[in-house]
Amino acid sequence: MAGDTVKAGILKTDGNKRFQNGDFVGAESLYSKAIIADDTNPALYTNRAMARLKLSLWDSAIADCLACLKLNGESMKAHYYLAQAYLELRAFDDAVSHASRAREICATTNDKSLAQVTTLVLRCKKDRWDDAEKRRKRAHRELEEDVLAAMRREKEDSLAAMTPPTADAGGNSSPATTTMEDVGDRRQVAEEWDAKMEQLSRVFESARANDDKRREVPEWAIDDITFAFMVDPVITVSGQSYERASIMEHLRRQPTDPLTREPLRPSDLRPNLALRKACEEFLDENGWAVDW
């Protein structure tokens, strides 16, 4: 049931002023009082979430955004702030999901925040890829260490097996007499194991070198306006594809096709679904492309 909307509105306005002046604690307090006055206004929850993000209160910000979405499931700000909070908590899949949903809402409503939200989508995907890369490289290092350690143990066991003990007249074990031939055999076995370990080390080193080699982004994935990696490409009447956020910003300033200079309206744009899928697949495997 709606509460005192007038009181809530006054508190919200005062909270906005506090927020703009950098008083995030004061803003958060006023937004909380506004919610007490009227807990049916979804904007109050996203405003408090915004303040709580500034205060690094990630879980509380998430709770506010979820409360907002119960009242308004299409709140772009709720998804946008959720993505930021989840990103800070390293919940990368949730961050990507909510950032992508915020971008979809922006695209549908022609929201001017589209470019900003698209940047967040890329950041979420980049951070997710970076995290996966760190875990992958750590696993490779651990695998290399484990395999080399196992090979060293096998080498030692092989060498130990080449000098079996002998028993004296009293039944006591003593090392067998080592001949020059035995020394040669042991040296050969040791060298063979060393060669195997060296070869394995080179394989791992080669894999690491491939990770650091020069990387290139395919031209079809680059937006011709901003020269950034595309997330949501759309195609114009002339057949040229652009990132939705960049072409929409261009059309706000100048309603013409960047290539042909012919009149172009937002309604003339069509999603390039095939290119979008290709960009998504490339970015999933090459998160570094965000910073290209």
Side-chain angles (χ1 to χ4, degrees), residues 4-291:
D4 190 339
T5 57
V6 174
K7 180 179 179 181
I10 294 172
L11 289 166
K12 177 176 178 287
T13 299
D14 290 343
N16 291 344
K17 292 177 181 177
R18 292 286 186 92
F19 187 91
Q20 291 167 3
N21 290 330
D23 180 7
F24 305 125
V25 173
E28 194 267 351
S29 176
L30 287 168
Y31 293 142
S32 295
K33 292 177 181 178
I35 290 172
I36 293 173
D38 178 15
D39 62 0
T40 64
N41 184 347
L44 297 177
Y45 292 96
T46 50
N47 277 35
R48 188 169 68 175
M50 178 176 60
R52 287 176 166 177
L53 285 175
K54 291 293 186 180
L55 296 170
S56 301
L57 301 174
W58 317 125
D59 290 326
S60 296
I62 289 171
D64 276 344
C65 291
L66 294 177
C68 171
L69 290 175
K70 287 183 179 179
L71 297 170
N72 176 15
E74 294 300 301
S75 171
M76 185 278 290
K77 287 185 177 180
H79 287 291
Y80 181 68
Y81 295 147
L82 272 172
Q84 294 180 57
Y86 280 127
L87 191 61
E88 293 294 342
L89 293 174
R90 302 181 66 78
F92 298 111
D93 288 342
D94 288 329
V96 170
S97 175
H98 285 286
S100 298
R101 182 63 188 131
R103 182 185 54 75
E104 290 170 1
I105 295 172
C106 278
T108 301
T109 60
N110 195 20
D111 193 294
K112 292 183 178 180
S113 301
L114 181 58
Q116 181 179 353
V117 176
T118 299
T119 298
L120 178 62
V121 172
L122 287 170
R123 180 189 167 199
C124 290
K125 290 189 174 185
K126 173 65 162 52
D127 285 2
R128 180 173 65 177
W129 183 83
D130 283 343
D131 180 70
E133 275 294 282
K134 288 177 182 177
R135 287 187 283 106
R136 181 185 66 82
K137 290 181 178 180
R138 182 168 59 249
H140 281 196
R141 286 195 301 270
E142 291 173 353
L143 175 62
E144 179 181 8
E145 292 169 359
D146 290 345
V147 173
L148 288 174
M151 293 180 74
R152 282 191 289 269
R153 288 193 296 271
E154 286 196 44
K155 172 187 174 182
E156 293 170 0
D157 291 343
S158 297
L159 294 175
M162 297 181 71
T163 55
T166 59
D168 58 19
N172 298 315
S173 296
S174 61
T177 303
T178 302
T179 66
M180 292 299 294
E181 183 178 355
D182 292 333
V183 172
D185 290 343
R186 285 172 57 82
R187 182 183 298 113
Q188 181 179 353
V189 169
E191 289 175 351
E192 288 175 354
W193 276 108
D194 289 342
K196 290 178 182 179
M197 288 187 283
E198 177 64 25
Q199 183 178 13
L200 182 66
S201 294
R202 285 198 298 269
V203 170
F204 278 101
E205 183 60 34
S206 176
R208 283 190 289 271
N210 286 334
D211 285 340
D212 298 330
K213 69 182 180 181
R214 185 171 181 266
R215 294 159 166 171
E216 294 184 356
V217 176
E219 291 186 5
W220 49 260
I222 301 301
D223 174 47
D224 284 340
I225 296 177
T226 62
F227 301 104
F229 193 92
M230 288 192 286
V231 176
D232 184 16
V234 292
I235 192 167
T236 65
V237 176
S238 64
Q240 180 67 32
S241 291
Y242 300 94
E243 172 61 37
R244 183 189 296 273
S246 63
I247 187 64
M248 291 298 292
E249 183 61 30
H250 168 83
L251 293 178
R252 289 189 187 99
R253 297 192 306 268
Q254 186 176 354
T256 59
D257 188 309
L259 186 64
T260 66
R261 304 303 179 188
E262 293 293 324
L264 183 67
R265 299 167 300 175
S267 59
D268 295 327
L269 304 174
R270 295 290 181 269
N272 191 332
L273 299 179
L275 181 56
R276 176 177 175 176
K277 186 174 186 297
C279 288
E280 287 177 348
E281 291 176 350
F282 185 88
L283 197 59
D284 285 343
E285 297 296 325
N286 303 275
W288 51 265
V290 171
D291 295 329

